[in-house]
Amino acid sequence: YKKSCALGNLSACHNVGVAYENGRNGVGRDYAEAATWYMQAAERAFLPSQFNLAALYANAHITSLDNREGLKWFLIAQKSAAQCADKPLCKWILSDEPGHRGRLEAQLSPAERREARQQAEQWRPTR
């Protein structure tokens, strides 16, 4: 997966992140490493990685980082999911059954929430 990711395969980048998040495929559990791999795909508009990155923040797995970033990624994921609202993954992200958005917002002041929303609105994917 790492080689495929290096060649631009976003699913491969995501799968490396999943492996590190869950401690599978010969790697130990490492949430920071998972976030690094998810970020590679999330920055290039890969919806599952955007959501998983936000979930790492919401579940306090990467607490050393700013939770505004987590809320930003969650809002970006929901905006992306709105484009495919008829598909199961997109419906699930939009419904936010796990309550990620609420957990992230609860950790931020109103000003920080506004800042995260502004960052999400200004975000553009890299190519």
Side-chain angles (χ1 to χ4, degrees):
Y1 288 128
K2 288 180 181 181
K3 288 179 184 178
S4 290
C5 178
L7 294 171
N9 183 318
L10 301 183
S11 292
C13 299
H14 178 79
N15 288 337
V16 175
V18 170
Y20 277 107
E21 183 176 358
N22 297 299
R24 293 187 187 152
N25 298 334
V27 299
R29 179 172 283 163
D30 185 333
Y31 295 122
E33 191 68 18
T36 298
W37 290 95
Y38 287 147
M39 184 68 75
Q40 289 185 56
E43 288 178 334
R44 294 186 281 171
F46 192 68
L47 176 58
S49 289
Q50 293 170 340
F51 180 79
N52 283 17
L53 187 58
L56 286 177
Y57 282 95
N59 293 319
H61 291 309
I62 47 177
T63 56
S64 63
L65 301 174
D66 190 334
N67 281 313
R68 284 176 291 195
E69 186 78 1
L71 181 57
K72 176 189 93 172
W73 282 112
F74 185 81
L75 296 171
I76 291 167
Q78 282 199 317
K79 183 178 180 181
S80 296
Q83 303 303 311
C84 56
D86 59 326
K87 297 186 183 211
L89 174 63
C90 298
K91 284 181 185 179
W92 189 74
I93 290 171
L94 290 169
S95 72
D96 188 25
E97 289 180 32
H100 294 321
R101 183 175 182 164
R103 279 198 300 283
L104 288 163
E105 288 179 339
Q107 298 173 41
L108 299 171
S109 69
E112 291 170 325
R113 289 192 296 272
R114 280 191 301 277
E115 186 179 338
R117 280 192 288 280
Q118 182 180 29
Q119 289 173 357
E121 290 170 12
Q122 294 173 348
W123 178 84
R124 299 293 177 265
T126 59
R127 295 286 164 197

